Amino acid sequence: MNDLRRTPGTLATVLESARQTLLLSCRDRFWWVVGIGLLVLPALAYVLAGRASERIDGRSLYCVLAWWLLGTVVVPWLTLYLGVQSVHGRIEDRTFQYWFLRPVGRGALLVGTWLAVVAMASAAAVLGVVASFAAVAAHGELWPDGVDWRLAWVFCSVLVAGTVAYGAVAALLATWFRRPLVWAAVFVVGLQMLAANLPVSAGLRRLTITDPLRRMMLDSIEPDGRLAQRLWPAEREFRSELIEHPLRDLAVLVAVALALAVWAYGRTEYDSRERE
């Protein structure tokens, strides 16, 4: 009688890959840095709120802080780092050989890793959003119309969407390039910060992640002219027709990035590489 084990299906492979990625990532000392950051962030928000001038209220202060610190710095770098380390790290330490010798599809392995990265980055993003909002909300004098807790939900949903997109880009960079962290820096600083925040064409901005996320945020918080200028300095006047379809733009970017990453991951013959 044959004692052959049944080959796991695609869904089972995705779930197992995600589970293994979560377990391995929990051992990373990098989470100590994340934990310290989650303590420093609300402390910084509390101090800034205490020194806020009369020209800015709690709502505007929190939106500016959450967008420019969390939305354009912390969440992108955190997600890209986790994604690159989770995919490229297996190539560097040669554990990819164990995975690739299993009778499972490489594409399912990569999708599972991407889901785990999104889950970890989303958890950190939500904690950062809630903690920083609570710190600003503690200064009740900055909220003459009452604390608007809906802002926390808005930024949680926007930044979680961002982790989905940045995780897909991280998977693409980790499967295509030998030094993905370097290319991640080029992507964030070059494509994201410059193209999304300079007065360039709308078509070029749609190729970024920052621009669709910002349009999602502005559509949800309905800012006044001054707050809109602080959040989108490249636009002299914020208009509702500028929103268009940010979720569709993000979905297209995620689909293309994941498809290319899965294609490369399934066809590239990787060698062990020294850590950068």
Side-chain angles (χ1 to χ4, degrees), residues 88 91-94 96 174-175 177-180 268-275:
H88 192 71
I91 300 173
E92 291 177 326
D93 60 19
R94 305 186 69 176
F96 76 97
T175 54
F177 297 106
R178 186 177 180 86
R179 299 184 181 277
T268 303
E269 294 298 327
Y270 295 104
D271 296 323
S272 59
R273 304 169 184 176
E274 297 180 358
R275 289 190 175 273

Side-chain angles (χ1 to χ4, degrees), residues 162-211:
T163 64
V164 174
Y166 283 112
V169 171
L172 176 62
L173 297 176
T175 54
W176 278 73
F177 297 106
R178 186 177 180 86
R179 299 184 181 277
L181 286 178
V182 175
W183 284 100
V186 173
F187 175 78
V188 172
V189 177
L191 182 59
Q192 295 293 294
M193 298 302 294
L194 296 180
N197 294 304
L198 291 179
V200 297
S201 66
L204 181 58
R205 288 202 304 263
R206 289 193 184 96
L207 298 177
T208 70
I209 299 173
T210 302
D211 184 68

Side-chain angles (χ1 to χ4, degrees), residues 2 63 117 123 125 131 142-143 152 162 176 194 229 239 260 268:
N2 292 331
C63 289
V117 168
L142 296 178
W143 306 81
W176 278 73
L194 296 180
Q229 182 64 30
R239 304 181 305 277
L260 291 174
T268 303

